[in-house]
Amino acid sequence: GLIVLTVQAHAPSLMPEACEAGSRCDEVGGGKAAMLFCGLYLVALGIGGIKGSLPSHGAEQFDDSTPSGRKQRSTFFNYFVFCLSFGGLLACTFVVWVADNKGWQWGFGISTISIVLSITVFFAGSATYRSKIPSGSPLATIFKVLVAASLNNGWFSRSSGGAVVSMSSSPCNGVPGNENKDSEALTNTLKFLNRAVESNPKYSTIQCTVEQVEDVKIVLKELPIFACTIMLNACLAQLNTFSVEQAATMNTKLGSFKVPPASLTVFPVLFVMVLAPIYDMIIVPLARKVTETEIGITHLRRIGFGLVLSIFSMAVAALVEVKRKRMAINSGLVDDATKPLPISFLWVALQYLFLGSADLFTFAGLLEFFFTETPIRMRSLATSLTFASLAVGYYLSSAIVSIVNSVTTKISHRPWLSGANLNHYHLERFYWLLCLLSVLNFLHFLFWALRYKYRGKGTTTE
């Protein structure tokens, strides 16, 4: 995908016709548009494959049967988030600068070379990797169990000795002790799924094992926790939209250097890069001593702390917007959006600090939660939900903005979040709304978190 984009950015014949300032520009179409979208979708497909499988692949390199291995795995997730942030830092500073000053072909070219180098490094270590043998599609298993439970009429009847099916996991190359030798019967949670297991099923093609049913139960019990992180990502979406617009109306100078408002996305990235090592080397060891547990801070507590920080971030964002608008009124610049307000853009960085911290705690905690709690056959699917939460959160943000504008237009004939001048927006009310929704979301999270029972090693049942 990046090669396609690099070639198109380099060849003038593959780009739209040049247009002068002030004149009408024709948008790209036909084969040129097809090439552009082909490159973009290939990049998206590749990123989806990497982010969906890399967290679980990396975590599986550590021995889950020993305390030291589980501690190293936790460290891996923290530095996985650190590396994602470092890549984002390079992308929104160095690569953007090159693309703006040297041309898009150089920006895409640098990205292409980086991917090629990373592939080389990845394959250089392939002989040492512990690899999980594929054992079928987890999505197919989930669909099969749900369909079987819906179609089967009778309930599974246990024999006198109990209906026991081997729960042995798929063997992993080079991972001794990874086989689960325990056997389990159907549990009493989500009983409706037990109908998927029958001694005499009507449809033999969808006959399920106890192992498959119990795996699906575990994934379904994790979905409410996944859903509770979507609101956090909807708040994160504001950092790339309204927060940038706020900063654009403020004084963006640091000494003699003028900071581009779009570069403010560097702040949460830097905060994550600073906090990740501090959390791993100071906070977690201290928490282990205080709690006298191997994990120190449970996964759900990390997620919950991140959700609390998101509440504070939206409250801070609302207060900063009140201060910004008050400054606009006092300076007589409410109707003049061309002049910067006499207030530093660093006030906006406060909400970046809180949301960046919230992202670290929740994102890394959610990755480790899914990996630890999910059966080995479904780990890649589960860790992929972390990135699905990010995508759904951004869509939710757009939906909330549209709903708010629609409702406020009907009530007051003036939308809160629309117009040519940000000073005429009611952005502070929108932030308070997000703060309220985040509070409700946290209460929703508590409802499920307090009822969740851990099953992974090295965690507590709290």
Coordinates of all heavy atoms in Angstrom, one line a residue, residues 245-253 320-345 421-423:
E245 N -8.7 23.0 17.1 CA -9.3 24.3 16.8 C -9.2 25.3 17.9 O -9.0 26.5 17.7 CB -10.8 24.1 16.5 CG -11.0 23.3 15.2 CD -12.5 23.2 14.9 OE1 -13.2 24.3 14.9 OE2 -13.0 22.1 14.6
Q246 N -9.3 24.9 19.2 CA -9.1 25.8 20.3 C -7.7 26.4 20.3 O -7.5 27.6 20.4 CB -9.3 25.0 21.6 CG -10.7 24.7 22.0 CD -10.7 23.9 23.3 OE1 -10.4 22.7 23.3 NE2 -11.0 24.5 24.4
A247 N -6.7 25.5 20.1 CA -5.3 26.0 20.1 C -5.0 27.0 19.0 O -4.2 27.9 19.1 CB -4.4 24.8 20.0
A248 N -5.7 26.8 17.8 CA -5.5 27.6 16.7 C -6.0 29.1 16.9 O -5.5 30.0 16.3 CB -6.3 27.1 15.5
T249 N -6.8 29.3 17.9 CA -7.3 30.6 18.2 C -6.4 31.3 19.3 O -6.6 32.4 19.7 CB -8.7 30.6 18.7 OG1 -8.8 29.9 20.0 CG2 -9.7 29.9 17.8
M250 N -5.5 30.5 19.9 CA -4.7 31.0 21.0 C -3.2 31.3 20.6 O -2.9 31.1 19.4 CB -4.7 29.9 22.1 CG -6.1 29.5 22.6 SD -6.2 28.0 23.5 CE -5.6 28.5 25.1
N251 N -2.5 31.9 21.5 CA -1.1 32.2 21.2 C -0.3 30.9 21.2 O -0.1 30.3 22.2 CB -0.6 33.1 22.3 CG 0.9 33.5 22.1 OD1 1.5 33.2 21.0 ND2 1.5 34.2 23.0
T252 N 0.2 30.5 20.1 CA 0.9 29.2 19.9 C 2.5 29.4 19.9 O 3.2 28.5 19.4 CB 0.5 28.5 18.6 OG1 0.8 29.4 17.5 CG2 -1.0 28.2 18.7
K253 N 3.0 30.5 20.4 CA 4.4 30.7 20.4 C 5.1 30.2 21.6 O 4.5 30.3 22.7 CB 4.7 32.2 20.2 CG 4.4 32.8 18.8 CD 4.9 34.2 18.8 CE 4.7 34.8 17.3 NZ 5.2 36.2 17.2
V320 N -11.1 25.0 30.7 CA -10.1 25.7 29.8 C -10.9 26.4 28.7 O -10.6 27.6 28.4 CB -9.1 24.7 29.2 CG1 -8.3 25.4 28.1 CG2 -8.2 24.2 30.2
E321 N -12.0 25.8 28.2 CA -12.7 26.5 27.1 C -13.5 27.7 27.7 O -13.6 28.8 27.1 CB -13.7 25.5 26.5 CG -14.7 26.1 25.5 CD -14.0 26.8 24.3 OE1 -12.8 26.6 24.1 OE2 -14.7 27.5 23.5
V322 N -14.0 27.6 29.0 CA -14.6 28.8 29.6 C -13.6 29.9 29.8 O -13.9 31.1 29.5 CB -15.1 28.3 31.0 CG1 -15.6 29.6 31.8 CG2 -16.3 27.4 30.8
K323 N -12.4 29.5 30.2 CA -11.3 30.5 30.3 C -10.9 31.2 29.0 O -10.8 32.4 28.9 CB -10.1 29.9 30.9 CG -8.9 30.8 31.2 CD -7.7 30.1 31.8 CE -6.6 31.1 32.1 NZ -6.9 32.2 33.0
R324 N -10.9 30.3 27.9 CA -10.5 30.9 26.6 C -11.6 31.8 26.1 O -11.3 32.9 25.6 CB -10.4 29.7 25.6 CG -9.8 30.0 24.3 CD -10.0 29.0 23.2 NE -11.4 28.8 22.9 CZ -12.1 29.6 22.0 NH1 -11.4 30.5 21.4 NH2 -13.3 29.4 21.8
K325 N -12.9 31.5 26.2 CA -13.9 32.4 25.8 C -14.0 33.6 26.6 O -14.3 34.7 26.1 CB -15.3 31.6 25.8 CG -15.4 30.5 24.8 CD -16.7 29.8 24.8 CE -17.8 30.7 24.2 NZ -19.1 30.0 24.1
R326 N -13.8 33.5 27.9 CA -13.7 34.7 28.7 C -12.6 35.7 28.3 O -12.8 36.9 28.3 CB -13.6 34.3 30.2 CG -13.7 35.5 31.2 CD -13.6 35.0 32.6 NE -14.7 34.0 32.9 CZ -14.6 33.0 33.7 NH1 -13.4 32.7 34.2 NH2 -15.6 32.2 33.9
M327 N -11.5 35.1 27.9 CA -10.4 35.9 27.4 C -10.8 36.6 26.1 O -10.4 37.7 25.9 CB -9.1 35.0 27.2 CG -7.9 35.8 26.8 SD -7.4 37.0 28.1 CE -6.8 35.9 29.4
A328 N -11.5 35.9 25.3 CA -12.0 36.5 24.0 C -12.9 37.6 24.2 O -12.8 38.7 23.6 CB -12.6 35.4 23.1
I329 N -13.8 37.5 25.2 CA -14.7 38.6 25.6 C -14.0 39.8 26.1 O -14.2 40.9 25.7 CB -15.8 38.1 26.6 CG1 -16.7 37.0 25.9 CG2 -16.6 39.2 27.1 CD1 -17.6 36.3 26.9
N330 N -13.1 39.5 27.1 CA -12.3 40.6 27.7 C -11.4 41.3 26.7 O -11.1 42.5 26.9 CB -11.5 40.1 28.9 CG -12.4 39.5 30.0 OD1 -13.5 39.9 30.1 ND2 -11.8 38.7 30.8
S331 N -11.0 40.6 25.7 CA -10.1 41.2 24.7 C -10.8 41.8 23.5 O -10.2 42.4 22.6 CB -9.1 40.2 24.2 OG -8.4 39.6 25.3
G332 N -12.1 41.7 23.5 CA -12.9 42.2 22.4 C -12.7 41.5 21.1 O -12.8 42.1 20.0
L333 N -12.3 40.2 21.2 CA -12.0 39.4 20.0 C -13.0 38.3 19.7 O -12.7 37.4 19.0 CB -10.6 38.8 20.1 CG -9.4 39.9 20.2 CD1 -8.1 39.1 20.5 CD2 -9.3 40.7 18.9
V334 N -14.2 38.4 20.3 CA -15.2 37.4 20.1 C -15.5 37.2 18.6 O -15.7 36.1 18.1 CB -16.4 37.7 20.9 CG1 -17.5 36.6 20.6 CG2 -16.1 37.6 22.4
D335 N -15.7 38.3 17.9 CA -16.1 38.3 16.5 C -14.9 38.3 15.5 O -15.2 38.3 14.3 CB -17.1 39.5 16.2 CG -18.3 39.4 17.0 OD1 -18.9 38.3 17.2 OD2 -18.8 40.4 17.6
D336 N -13.7 38.4 16.1 CA -12.6 38.5 15.2 C -11.7 37.2 15.4 O -11.0 37.1 16.4 CB -11.7 39.7 15.6 CG -10.6 40.0 14.6 OD1 -10.4 39.1 13.6 OD2 -9.9 41.0 14.7
A337 N -11.9 36.3 14.5 CA -11.2 35.0 14.6 C -9.9 35.0 14.0 O -9.1 34.0 14.0 CB -12.1 33.9 14.0
T338 N -9.5 36.2 13.4 CA -8.2 36.2 12.7 C -7.0 36.5 13.6 O -5.9 36.2 13.3 CB -8.2 37.3 11.6 OG1 -8.5 38.6 12.2 CG2 -9.3 37.0 10.6
K339 N -7.3 37.1 14.8 CA -6.2 37.5 15.7 C -6.1 36.4 16.8 O -7.1 36.0 17.3 CB -6.4 38.9 16.3 CG -6.4 40.0 15.2 CD -6.6 41.3 15.9 CE -6.6 42.5 14.9 NZ -6.9 43.8 15.5
P340 N -4.9 36.0 17.2 CA -4.8 35.1 18.3 C -5.1 35.7 19.6 O -4.8 36.9 19.9 CB -3.3 34.7 18.2 CG -2.6 35.8 17.6 CD -3.6 36.4 16.6
L341 N -5.8 34.9 20.5 CA -6.1 35.4 21.8 C -4.9 35.5 22.7 O -4.0 34.7 22.5 CB -7.1 34.5 22.4 CG -8.5 34.3 21.7 CD1 -9.3 33.3 22.4 CD2 -9.2 35.6 21.6
P342 N -4.8 36.5 23.6 CA -3.7 36.6 24.5 C -3.7 35.6 25.6 O -3.7 35.9 26.8 CB -3.8 38.0 25.1 CG -5.3 38.3 25.0 CD -5.8 37.6 23.8
I343 N -3.7 34.3 25.2 CA -3.7 33.2 26.2 C -2.9 32.1 25.5 O -3.0 31.8 24.4 CB -5.1 32.8 26.6 CG1 -5.0 31.6 27.5 CG2 -5.9 32.4 25.3 CD1 -6.4 31.2 28.1
S344 N -2.0 31.5 26.3 CA -1.1 30.4 25.8 C -1.9 29.1 25.4 O -2.8 28.7 26.1 CB 0.0 30.1 26.7 OG 0.8 29.0 26.3
F345 N -1.5 28.5 24.3 CA -2.1 27.3 23.9 C -1.7 26.1 24.9 O -2.4 25.0 24.8 CB -1.6 26.9 22.5 CG -0.2 26.4 22.4 CD1 0.0 25.0 22.3 CD2 0.9 27.2 22.6 CE1 1.3 24.5 22.2 CE2 2.2 26.7 22.5 CZ 2.4 25.4 22.3
N421 N -16.9 30.6 13.3 CA -16.1 31.2 14.4 C -16.2 30.3 15.7 O -17.3 30.2 16.2 CB -16.5 32.6 14.7 CG -15.6 33.4 15.7 OD1 -14.9 32.8 16.4 ND2 -15.6 34.7 15.6
L422 N -15.1 29.8 16.2 CA -15.1 28.9 17.3 C -15.6 29.6 18.6 O -16.2 29.0 19.5 CB -13.8 28.3 17.6 CG -13.6 27.2 18.7 CD1 -14.4 26.0 18.2 CD2 -12.2 26.9 19.0
N423 N -15.4 31.0 18.6 CA -15.9 31.7 19.8 C -17.4 31.8 19.9 O -17.9 32.1 21.0 CB -15.3 33.2 19.7 CG -13.8 33.2 19.7 OD1 -13.2 32.4 20.4 ND2 -13.3 34.2 19.1

